[in-house]
Structure formats: structure tokens, C-alpha cells
Amino acid sequence: MKQNESLELRCEMATMHDFFLNKINESIEGKLYFEASWLIYSCLENRFFRVLDKYKRECKYCTKGGKCRKGSNQLALSTQVSCVERLYKENVSCISDSFPGEIFDEVRAWVKSRNRLMHNLLSLEDYEDHFDNDFKELALSGKIIVEDAYDACTKFREAFFQPDYKFVFPESCMEECPCKSHQKKEES
């Protein structure tokens, strides 16, 4: 497969990602766990979107104006994770050889914990009893997950862009794409 972005743009993006990974570390070191959690979530969204963005053009439903077709990162993280996981389960080698199988459940569990904490943020009892410790645990566990996600995404990109690699989008995965239901709504 051929790279979509120029080398210059990819280098700028790598610099940006290094900046934010360093910000996560600085936030944790400075005990700014709330900030670290927001940055971790954003990095996870970006990593899964960047994977999805490489192959979504191969999906017959994404190419017809579905929500996956949008060029910017507007998909829910859970949708992105599910899409990558479907390819993992179908043993698409650029995914299954790159991602550890447990990462999908780990990301979902981490996001669920993060969302619970965010929704309860302005609850006085939660603030008094758990705020600092819960966000500390969230940030520390999220840091590990985001590092694993970066490693997996790097392996994926290396496999995906091998000169002899041909990505084949399994029909069964296309049939599970959320864009399929979006397309049916438009046709009604």
C-alpha cells in the first residue's frame, strides 16, 4: 500500500504525538491526573481513527457517505475500536499480527471508567471521597493502554504499508459496519 501523507506531514504528526505523550507523562508526574486522562482519551481516539482511516475506503458502506467516511475524527471511540476488533477477529493480518487481542476490552473498560468519573465529576460525595485517587488510577492505567495502542498502531502501519501487502476488507466485517445502517436510513 502507498502512504497517503507526505513524509513531511508524517514527521510533523510524529512530533505532535511525542509532545502529547510527554504531556501525559508531565501531567502524571505533576499529579494532574484529570488532565492526563483527557489527553489519554484523545490519544486513543486519534490512534484508532488513524488505523481506521487507512482502510475505510475499502468498505463498500463507508464509501457511500456513511459516518466513517468523514475525513476528521468524528467517530465515537467505541465505534473505532469495534471496527478494528472486527478485522482482528477475522484474522486480517495487518491487524491480527499487530494488536494484542486484549487491547480492545482494555480500551473499552478504561473508557467506561473514564466516562463514569466524568459524569460523576460534579458530585460532592464523589469529589470528597474519590476524586484524586480515582483519576490517579485512571491516568496510570490509561498511560499503559495508550503506550500499548501506540505500539500496536506502529506495527499495523509497518505491516499495512509493506510493498507486497494487499489489504482485503472481509465482507463479513463490512456487513457489521455502522455505515450500512446509516445508508439504509438514507435510502428510506
Side-chain angles (χ1 to χ4, degrees):
M1 303 291 288
K2 187 176 178 226
Q3 291 277 358
N4 295 333
E5 294 105 3
S6 68
L7 178 60
E8 180 181 348
L9 179 61
R10 292 193 318 266
C11 288
E12 286 177 30
M13 289 173 66
T15 299
M16 177 189 68
H17 286 286
D18 286 343
F19 171 82
F20 283 108
L21 292 172
N22 286 333
K23 286 299 269 182
I24 290 168
N25 289 331
E26 289 171 9
S27 296
I28 290 172
E29 288 169 11
K31 298 182 181 181
L32 301 171
Y33 304 117
F34 183 76
E35 177 180 320
S37 298
W38 275 98
L39 292 168
I40 290 165
Y41 185 88
S42 185
C43 287
L44 287 170
E45 265 188 330
N46 181 271
R47 291 297 77 207
F48 277 92
F49 177 76
R50 296 285 297 153
V51 169
L52 181 65
D53 195 44
K54 303 278 187 280
Y55 62 76
K56 68 183 182 181
R57 291 164 196 82
E58 304 297 322
C59 176
K60 66 184 178 184
Y61 297 110
C62 292
T63 59
K64 296 183 176 158
K67 62 183 181 177
C68 293
R69 189 65 177 137
K70 296 176 182 171
S72 60
N73 185 5
Q74 297 177 355
L75 287 174
L77 179 54
S78 60
T79 302
Q80 296 171 25
V81 170
S82 293
C83 184
V84 176
E85 184 179 31
R86 280 193 295 277
L87 294 174
Y88 176 87
K89 288 180 176 179
E90 285 293 323
N91 205 25
V92 174
S93 65
C94 64
I95 301 286
S96 61
D97 293 347
S98 303
F99 284 83
E102 65 276 0
I103 196 168
F104 308 109
D105 287 336
E106 289 173 354
V107 170
R108 276 192 281 275
W110 186 87
V111 168
K112 185 176 180 179
S113 294
R114 176 219 175 250
N115 289 346
R116 181 185 51 78
L117 287 173
M118 292 298 172
H119 290 292
N120 293 335
L121 191 59
L122 294 180
S123 162
L124 187 57
E125 62 211 33
D126 287 324
Y127 172 75
E128 290 173 341
D129 296 337
H130 309 288
F131 182 82
D132 288 333
N133 286 334
D134 288 349
F135 273 102
K136 178 180 180 180
E137 288 176 28
L138 186 71
L140 294 175
S141 64
K143 181 180 182 298
I144 294 166
I145 293 169
V146 85
E147 289 169 352
D148 291 345
Y150 267 84
D151 289 344
C153 292
T154 298
K155 290 176 186 173
F156 160 78
R157 192 173 52 255
E158 290 169 354
F160 190 82
F161 287 114
Q162 284 293 313
D164 58 339
Y165 183 72
K166 174 70 174 129
F167 178 84
V168 177
F169 207 125
E171 186 73 26
S172 60
C173 292
M174 283 188 234
E175 293 302 318
E176 296 294 318
C177 180
C179 293
K180 179 181 178 183
S181 61
H182 180 77
Q183 182 181 349
K184 285 183 178 181
K185 289 177 189 173
E186 286 182 351
E187 291 173 357
S188 299

